[in-house]
Amino acid sequence: MFAGFLEVGLIRRARKKTLFEVRVHNLRDYARGKHRQVDDRPFGGDEGMVFMPEPVFAAVEAVRESPRTPVYLLSPQGRRFSPALAAELAAQPQVILICGRYEGVDERVVQHLVQDEISIGDYVLSGGELAAAVVIDAIGRLQEGALNDSESANQDSFEDGLLDCPHYTRSDSLGTDGVPPVLLSGDHAAIKRWRRQQSLGRTWLRRPDLLERLELSPEDQKLLSAFRAALPPDPNKPEKP
Ligand code: 9D3
């Protein structure tokens, strides 16, 4: 499940440059006994299976490079993954991510081993692996030197808490139909203003929660006012008496 995204693009490059390292471990390799059993039926009786504590303890002990290495459990009950949490994890020399399956992991693993539980959002996945992949991808991008020049330049307009502006490029079938004329004008200052305005406007329309956290400059406020003034009238807005 981890092979794909680790082998393309930015993440592949960052790994090649050893900016960060990803090791995937199979819990079964840390299980004992003839059957290498990692799961068992829950106390109290219920559907499904639960990961036993011992293989998880053994695996963490084997891969942990320092007693300070934080251990996280990917879990629907977790703290929501966020840019702040991504930065927190990216700053650690090592993190251990435990992926659950079935009904979950024995709660004593959480009590004794886990610093925090992490969820990537309120939809049900089949296991923690894809959530861990999301976390790993986000951590990888934040490693010093991971972004190339054009990626860093793009990051400027993205990491400022706004949504991206629309993009257009050459099209044999569509020509320049539907392309905002300013982008074809060659006026770089006007293009820069338009892009900023589109970022502000789309964020206002689609993610007002993001905009609330920002203190807009007077120039940004003007750009946003002009964006709003140019929108088609809202049919739900009552007429002034
Ligand atoms: C069938 C079990 N479900 C009973 C209501 C609970 C359940 C357990 C385990 C639901 C999903 C999972 C597997 N999901 C994860 O391990 C997981 C997850 C997710 O499902 N959504 C968002 N973030 C995450 S992080 C780990």
Side-chain angles (χ1 to χ4, degrees):
M1 294 186 77
F2 294 91
F5 83 100
L6 291 173
E7 284 155 31
V8 288
L10 184 156
I11 297 299
R12 174 199 172 99
R13 243 178 28 235
R15 291 176 61 226
K16 244 188 186 149
K17 290 198 267 182
T18 69
L19 300 178
F20 86 132
E21 196 184 331
V22 181
R23 297 185 222 135
V24 182
H25 306 271
N26 189 346
L27 206 53
R28 198 176 285 284
D29 297 341
Y30 300 93
R32 299 167 136 292
K34 192 164 68 140
H35 303 288
R36 308 230 136 214
Q37 189 181 350
V38 294
D39 58 338
D40 208 341
R41 295 160 66 193
F43 280 144
D46 205 346
E47 295 299 300
M49 300 291 268
V50 175
F51 276 118
M52 300 158 73
E54 286 76 15
V56 183
F57 289 138
V60 168
E61 188 177 287
V63 307
R64 196 179 222 169
E65 289 167 354
S66 150
R68 305 168 74 91
T69 295
V71 178
Y72 298 89
L73 174 67
L74 281 304
S75 137
Q77 285 75 45
R79 162 180 173 201
R80 174 70 72 83
F81 193 55
S82 66
L85 188 47
E88 207 176 300
L89 300 197
Q92 295 287 338
Q94 184 191 27
V95 299
I96 296 175
L97 305 176
I98 302 174
C99 303
R101 277 266 146 182
Y102 326 120
E103 301 316 300
V105 178
D106 188 299
E107 192 66 19
R108 289 163 295 184
V109 168
V110 179
Q111 288 168 352
H112 292 117
L113 212 53
V114 167
Q115 152 117 31
D116 223 340
E117 296 178 70
I118 301 175
S119 162
I120 63 163
D122 295 338
Y123 28 79
V124 180
L125 303 174
S126 304
E129 297 91 340
L130 292 179
V134 166
V135 170
I136 293 165
D137 190 84
I139 292 175
R141 301 181 57 84
L142 292 175
Q143 298 305 303
E144 187 80 40
L147 301 184
N148 66 28
D149 289 347
S150 71
E151 285 159 350
S152 322
N154 276 324
Q155 199 78 354
D156 293 340
S157 63
F158 214 77
E159 287 274 290
D160 58 7
L162 296 177
L163 301 184
D164 209 358
C165 64
H167 303 286
Y168 298 87
T169 190
R170 204 180 61 79
S171 161
D172 287 335
S173 59
L174 302 174
T176 58
D177 289 359
V179 179
V182 62
L183 297 179
L184 308 169
S185 70
D187 182 343
H188 295 293
I191 291 170
K192 194 170 169 213
R193 264 197 314 278
W194 179 85
R195 288 186 169 145
R196 182 75 187 173
Q197 182 175 47
Q198 289 294 312
S199 282
L200 290 160
R202 289 174 135 198
T203 308
W204 178 76
L205 285 171
R206 301 179 188 191
R207 292 295 305 277
D209 58 310
L210 293 181
L211 217 45
E212 271 164 31
R213 293 184 215 164
L214 300 176
E215 186 84 63
L216 295 187
S217 70
E219 296 91 297
D220 279 348
Q221 289 180 29
K222 269 192 217 151
L223 286 172
L224 182 55
S225 299
F227 179 95
R228 294 173 59 178
L231 285 177
D234 180 349
N236 293 320
K237 194 179 164 189
E239 289 285 342
K240 267 194 200 141

